[in-house]
Amino acid sequence: MSTATTTAGRANKVKRRKFEPWGVIAWIAGLGFFFPVFWMVLTAFKQEVDAYTTTPKVVFSPTLDGFRAVFDQGVGTGFLNSLFATGISTALVLLLGVPAAFALSLRPVAKTQDALFFFISTKMLPIVAAIVPLYVIVSNIGLLDNIWALVVLYTAMNLPIAIWMMRSFFLEVPGELLEAASLDGASLWRSVREVILPLVSPGIAATALICVIFSWNEFFFAVSLTAVRAQTMPVFMVGFIAGEGLYWAKLCAAATLAALPVVLCGWLAQNKLVRGLSFGAIK
């Protein structure tokens, strides 16, 4: 082994050792952010007398009473409504947003900047300022306490963000790829399906997860436009907040059920999510 190789190996070891404290700090910060979630899940398996104590109780007898109480109060309706509204609205956002982002990036149209500004300007209006006319419109068309009203609103709410996100991912794709595909005789649809979409699939996954999080956690539209039949998980969980009585274990059980779908989506798409969020970060 040459002297240069040995020196380079030692330098790499020293460099790795130099950044070890940062790794420890990152782990501590990660555990600190995760601890509230861990405590919420732990509390969900406690009895109410064990959950509501001045001194936190770590040793206890696990029970499913909190989850049974949540299901007895009809969590299934809110869970299925949230699942339906989130899934359908996210699918519609991708169906509409991906072609729009493609047209505004690799195939720009006239007045592209004006179109982009119009999309993002719809997010500048506070929701509370639009809720009264929205309530009147939804009431007149007979969609009060109807899950399809939330599907339409969630789609409109997330579509501008999705277009802006997807456009940034499409801009990272070299335009020469489409030219090469067209020279080989591929149609535009085939080029997009077989060349462009596989490259931006991490960005699509990241955009979809952002839309899922926003739709699943949305509360203002749901509490204003639904009552019983179309209530979502955030609206359902408000019922656990009371001025008196013991409800901590039930609240944590409901919160655990509410957080589970988003956590599972993030876990299943974690590889594409990391690639999507860092897409174009390194030139």
Side-chain angles (χ1 to χ4, degrees), residues 149-201:
L150 295 183
V151 169
V152 173
L153 290 174
Y154 291 173
T155 302
M157 175 183 71
N158 290 325
L159 188 57
I161 300 174
I163 292 175
W164 274 78
M165 286 185 64
M166 286 306 307
R167 180 175 180 268
S168 66
F169 297 132
F170 277 120
L171 288 175
E172 298 298 328
V173 178
E176 291 78 6
L177 290 177
L178 280 177
E179 297 177 2
S182 63
L183 290 176
D184 290 338
S187 63
L188 178 61
W189 167 241
R190 184 179 179 185
S191 301
V192 172
R193 187 180 72 250
E194 298 182 5
V195 179
I196 304 300
L197 289 183
L199 291 176
V200 299
S201 59

Side-chain angles (χ1 to χ4, degrees), residues 16-279:
R16 285 197 296 267
R17 290 174 183 173
K18 181 178 179 181
F19 287 95
E20 282 179 0
W22 291 109
V24 174
I25 293 174
W27 271 101
I28 294 174
L31 292 174
F33 282 111
F34 177 74
F35 181 77
V37 180
F38 168 75
W39 193 256
M40 176 189 70
V41 176
L42 194 67
T43 306
F45 291 94
K46 293 181 179 180
Q47 297 281 355
E48 290 292 353
V49 293
D50 296 329
Y52 195 79
T53 56
T54 303
T55 303
K57 198 169 185 178
V58 180
V59 180
F60 60 92
S61 298
T63 180
L64 295 176
D65 290 346
F67 292 95
R68 293 192 190 97
V70 170
F71 279 101
D72 289 341
Q73 294 189 17
V75 68
T77 301
F79 188 88
L80 292 177
N81 284 335
S82 286
L83 198 63
F84 181 84
T86 300
I88 298 299
S89 64
T90 301
L92 290 175
V93 166
L94 295 180
L95 186 64
L96 298 173
V98 171
F102 175 80
L104 294 171
S105 55
L106 296 179
R107 286 290 186 268
V109 296
K111 303 287 186 177
T112 296
Q113 295 300 322
D114 293 342
L116 288 172
F117 178 77
F118 170 75
F119 290 145
I120 203 64
S121 66
T122 60
K123 302 297 296 180
M124 299 178 184
L125 179 67
I127 296 179
V128 68
I131 193 60
V132 173
L134 284 175
Y135 183 90
V136 173
I137 294 172
V138 171
S139 178
N140 288 338
I141 62 178
L143 287 182
L144 276 180
D145 202 15
N146 191 309
I147 195 62
W148 284 104
L150 295 183
V151 169
V152 173
L153 290 174
Y154 291 173
T155 302
M157 175 183 71
N158 290 325
L159 188 57
I161 300 174
I163 292 175
W164 274 78
M165 286 185 64
M166 286 306 307
R167 180 175 180 268
S168 66
F169 297 132
F170 277 120
L171 288 175
E172 298 298 328
V173 178
E176 291 78 6
L177 290 177
L178 280 177
E179 297 177 2
S182 63
L183 290 176
D184 290 338
S187 63
L188 178 61
W189 167 241
R190 184 179 179 185
S191 301
V192 172
R193 187 180 72 250
E194 298 182 5
V195 179
I196 304 300
L197 289 183
L199 291 176
V200 299
S201 59
I204 295 177
T207 303
L209 185 59
I210 293 297
C211 293
V212 166
I213 293 173
F214 286 169
S215 299
W216 188 270
N217 294 335
E218 200 283 323
F219 176 76
F220 195 78
F221 284 144
V223 76
S224 301
L225 303 177
T226 67
V228 179
R229 291 179 302 168
Q231 70 170 350
T232 57
M233 280 299 293
V235 178
F236 173 81
M237 291 183 62
V238 173
F240 289 95
I241 301 176
E244 57 184 12
L246 301 180
Y247 58 88
W248 288 106
K250 290 192 296 183
L251 180 60
C252 289
T256 300
L257 292 175
L260 188 60
V262 177
V263 173
L264 287 178
C265 288
W267 180 72
L268 292 174
Q270 58 181 327
N271 293 332
K272 290 186 177 296
L273 181 62
V274 173
R275 291 175 56 197
L277 293 178
S278 60
F279 201 94

